[in-house]
Amino acid sequence: MNNSSTVDLKIKIDDEVKEFNSIPSAANMVSYNNGKVILSETKQNIQNEVEVLLQNSRNIVDNIDTYRDNITECENILKQLNPQFAKDKERDSRLDLLEDKLDRIYELIKK
């Protein structure tokens, strides 16, 4: 048996009423839409959450090259392990090349 209670809130934001349902009554902060909406009892909780989001975002941006390298390496491994993946990547590469060529032809025709 669950002894926790919940509350439902309706909040007017920019002339639109938003509903937030089943918020645990004991929670001092909840987030919705992957952190895009934060409901909190205090500004400090929101500030802390935004600071964490900022730091995480900075870490991602600072390591973007590492993530790009990871994508390349993972795709190379998948090409070796899965022939269909390799075929799909080859097809996608050819289509991208054709699109680029068509774009250049279109630009030449426009001129």
Side-chain angles (χ1 to χ4, degrees), residues 63-93:
N63 292 296
I64 192 112
D65 292 333
T66 301
Y67 287 111
R68 285 188 176 130
D69 291 344
N70 287 347
I71 290 170
T72 301
E73 289 300 316
C74 289
E75 286 178 346
N76 288 336
I77 292 169
L78 285 172
K79 286 177 187 177
Q80 294 173 14
L81 296 173
N82 183 347
Q84 185 60 48
F85 182 83
K87 287 178 186 176
D88 292 345
K89 291 303 285 181
E90 177 63 29
R91 180 203 61 226
D92 292 347
S93 294

Side-chain angles (χ1 to χ4, degrees), residues 28-80:
N28 59 8
M29 185 182 76
V30 293
S31 65
Y32 292 89
N33 297 339
N34 293 324
K36 293 185 189 228
V37 176
I38 301 169
L39 303 177
S40 174
E41 292 178 344
T42 67
K43 283 173 54 174
Q44 185 62 44
N45 285 342
I46 294 173
Q47 180 178 335
N48 292 343
E49 191 69 19
V50 171
E51 287 172 351
V52 166
L53 177 61
L54 175 62
Q55 187 57 45
N56 288 342
S57 297
R58 282 182 175 153
N59 287 338
I60 290 169
V61 169
D62 289 346
N63 292 296
I64 192 112
D65 292 333
T66 301
Y67 287 111
R68 285 188 176 130
D69 291 344
N70 287 347
I71 290 170
T72 301
E73 289 300 316
C74 289
E75 286 178 346
N76 288 336
I77 292 169
L78 285 172
K79 286 177 187 177
Q80 294 173 14

Side-chain angles (χ1 to χ4, degrees), residues 15-32:
D15 295 326
E16 184 179 344
V17 175
K18 303 268 187 179
E19 292 187 27
F20 301 94
N21 298 316
S22 301
I23 299 169
S25 59
N28 59 8
M29 185 182 76
V30 293
S31 65
Y32 292 89

